[in-house]
Amino acid sequence: MRARWLLVVLGLLLAGCTSSGDTATDGTITLRFQSLAWQDESVAANKALVKEWNATHPDVKVEYVQGSWDSVHDQLLTSFEGGEAPDIIHDASDDLADFAYGGYLADLRELLPERLKSDIPQRSWDTTTFGDGVYGVPFLQEPRVLIANAKWLREAGVRIPTPEQPWSWVEFRRITRQLGDGDGKYGVAWPLKEPVSATLNLSLSAGGQLFRRGADGKVTIRFEAADQTVPRTIHDQANTDRSASPTTLGSGGSDTLPGFFGGRYAMVPLGFSYRQQIAQQAPKGFEWQVLPAPAGADGLTQGVSPQTLSIAEDSQHPREAAEFIDFMLRPENMVRLALGDWMLPTGTEALKSPSLRTPKDGWATGTALATHLRSAPAQSVRGYPEWKDKVATPAFQEYYSGAIDLADLRKRLEEDGNLVLARYQR
């Protein structure tokens, strides 16, 4: 009798439980939303929006699941192959190609409302378009900017660039020579532990493309003059002018902040979201400002890989998942997410928010750069991760350190790189 009672209780408990995308016996749908938010403000904003959704949608509940940027690709791949992927997936556009081509993500073209489609510019949608489908909603993006010691620049008497009148790459190199003293103080510190995306994305301003797609649809690498402008500038600052600190070339962005606060570097090129760390960690009285990155033949154009929200192809309730994404990315909610991450929203309505256009902490400078952001050059290139890890990263690191010259860099990027890409395009 006791055994039968236990089986009945267990059956009732199991009937009331839901897994990803399941429908409970009372008709309630439960969707799993895996978020990669990690900063306290960002986590709070995401959790608050989930709570607000659940309070107003009793029939479609969303379960918040915390993920990690450090392991998201492998974790998602495992969950896809095991049939346990979350319904709503937070990721970055440069991580989507393999999942999109592999059939793991839903094509969103028929799922998203027109409001959301029209609010986000096509240049942002390009970052999540693979083949004929759209596999993510790009919603947060960050340009690379120069974080500068305002007092240092003011006392040096250099021209302060603006989005309307930025420095050229030539002027930037000249000014970093002027700011350094050749005796332990440098005009700039380049944190290039991960040199490839920074180099390629900034190279768009000079007209660099690197990846050329032929009439047959196949991609080849050609490291031409426009592609060389930014790498040559960095190399010459570090090895010829000595205006860039050689010791930071292998560092991450956060590693440069103590030296920046300590007066060793006048400027550090960083992602826009680093402003939060600077605002929190800068010594009392330290004056800093946000400047646009240098401009080239194509102006302030930069490549970006926005944060994205996708839907798993195996989700049992893709339309409900799309409705939740639409809720998350209403203009007022997109602003909350942007402020939480110290990044820029992709939505045109959200970008109009006065809270994102204040001079404080450089918000206005960043917002002025939003229209210049484009899909990163390698966004849809199959084989890019292998090329980046095995060919480009060591080649750029050796070039920036002075171990190889420009001709050697070109040979390795093109010859070794095209061998890698060819295997993905047979």
Side-chain angles (χ1 to χ4, degrees), residues 35 54 98-99 110 127 144 201 225 239 244 257 322 382 399 409 424:
S35 170
N54 287 336
D98 288 344
F99 299 143
E110 301 301 321
T127 67
R144 293 183 183 272
N201 288 342
N239 296 279
L257 296 185
R382 303 211 66 180
Y399 175 64
L409 175 64
Y424 290 83

Side-chain angles (χ1 to χ4, degrees), residues 248-263:
T248 65
L249 293 173
S251 302
S254 299
D255 300 328
T256 62
L257 296 185
F260 178 60
F261 296 145

Side-chain angles (χ1 to χ4, degrees), residues 293-346:
D298 283 359
L300 290 167
T301 302
Q302 285 188 39
V304 290
S305 299
Q307 292 187 26
T308 57
L309 293 176
S310 300
I311 298 173
E313 174 65 21
D314 288 343
S315 173
Q316 297 179 38
H317 300 283
R319 295 205 173 276
E320 289 80 1
E323 289 172 6
F324 173 71
I325 291 176
D326 181 47
F327 167 80
M328 284 281 286
L329 302 185
R330 290 175 183 173
E332 64 274 19
N333 293 341
M334 201 183 281
V335 171
R336 292 163 65 181
L337 293 170
L339 291 171
D341 253 330
W342 288 61
M343 297 176 72
L344 298 178
T346 58

Side-chain angles (χ1 to χ4, degrees), residues 47-65:
K47 287 185 174 180
L49 288 172
V50 169
K51 185 177 180 180
E52 291 169 22
W53 167 274
N54 287 336
T56 55
H57 296 77
D59 296 332
V60 182
K61 296 296 185 183
V62 173
E63 175 189 348
Y64 181 95
V65 179

Side-chain angles (χ1 to χ4, degrees), residues 142-207:
E142 66 172 327
R144 293 183 183 272
V145 294
L146 300 173
I147 308 294
N149 182 319
K151 182 179 179 182
W152 192 336
L153 267 61
R154 185 171 61 247
E155 291 179 346
V158 302
R159 182 180 77 82
I160 305 300
T162 65
E164 296 74 28
Q165 292 185 304
W167 288 330
S168 67
W169 285 101
V170 172
E171 187 178 10
F172 174 59
R173 181 181 171 188
R174 176 178 60 77
I175 284 173
T176 57
R177 286 199 303 265
Q178 182 179 341
L179 293 171
D181 66 1
D183 189 28
K185 289 192 173 184
Y186 300 94
V188 65
W190 284 97
L192 292 174
K193 183 178 182 180
E194 301 289 341
V196 182
S197 63
T199 303
L200 269 56
N201 288 342
L202 288 172
S203 290
L204 283 185
S205 70

